[in-house]
Amino acid sequence: MPRYLSLVQIDEATMPAEGPSPELMQRMGELIEEVTKAGVMLDTAGLTPSAQGTRVHWQGGQISVTDGPFTESKEVVGGYAIMQCKDLAEAIEWTKKFLKVHEDHWTVTCEVREIAEG
C-alpha cells in the first residue's frame, strides 16, 4: 500500500501565542487515536516555531545558514503525518479530518504527496 506525507503548513500569525488550546489538543489526540486504530498512521509530529529553526541553503556552489524566524515566510512547516492509505483519495479524507479539528482562527494548509518508493 502506498505511503503519503501530509506536510502541515501554518500561518504563524494566526496561531495563538500560547499555542494550541487544550480543546484542540484533545480533538487532535482523539483523531490520532482513530487514524492509528484504522492502521493508517505511521508517524506524526508537530514542529517547534520557525523562530527556533535554521535554514541551510545551497545556491551557486555556496552554502548559507539563516537562523529563524523567517520574516519572508507567511506559512511555515508546522508538522507532518506519514500515512499508509489505499490511494490518494483516502489520504486526502484523513487530512480533511485533521484540518477540521482546528478552531476557525487557525490558517492551516496540508500538502499531501505520495512518498516515492525504491
Side-chain angles (χ1 to χ4, degrees):
M1 226 178 348
R3 295 181 305 148
Y4 295 89
L5 171 68
S6 181
L7 190 62
V8 181
Q9 300 168 328
I10 61 170
D11 180 347
E12 289 185 317
T14 67
M15 191 174 91
E18 64 277 3
S21 69
E23 296 81 11
L24 171 57
M25 295 308 294
Q26 179 178 344
R27 290 190 302 273
M28 189 75 64
E30 290 167 357
L31 177 61
I32 290 171
E33 183 177 337
E34 177 186 357
V35 72
T36 300
K37 283 183 179 177
V40 171
M41 184 64 70
L42 299 178
D43 191 23
T44 188
L47 301 175
T48 58
S50 66
Q52 298 172 19
T54 302
R55 286 188 178 160
V56 182
H57 181 73
W58 173 259
Q59 182 177 5
Q62 300 292 317
I63 289 181
S64 63
V65 178
T66 306
D67 292 331
F70 311 113
T71 56
E72 71 278 5
S73 296
K74 179 174 170 46
E75 291 187 335
V76 298
V77 178
Y80 70 92
I82 298 175
M83 302 173 286
Q84 190 164 28
C85 301
K86 64 182 178 206
D87 55 25
L88 178 60
E90 181 184 13
I92 290 170
E93 286 306 310
W94 283 111
T95 301
K96 287 179 182 178
K97 287 184 177 188
F98 165 76
L99 290 172
K100 289 179 181 179
V101 301
H102 292 80
E103 292 97 353
D104 291 345
H105 61 267
W106 286 81
T107 300
V108 184
T109 302
C110 291
E111 181 177 339
V112 181
R113 297 172 60 185
E114 186 172 348
I115 296 172
E117 302 290 348

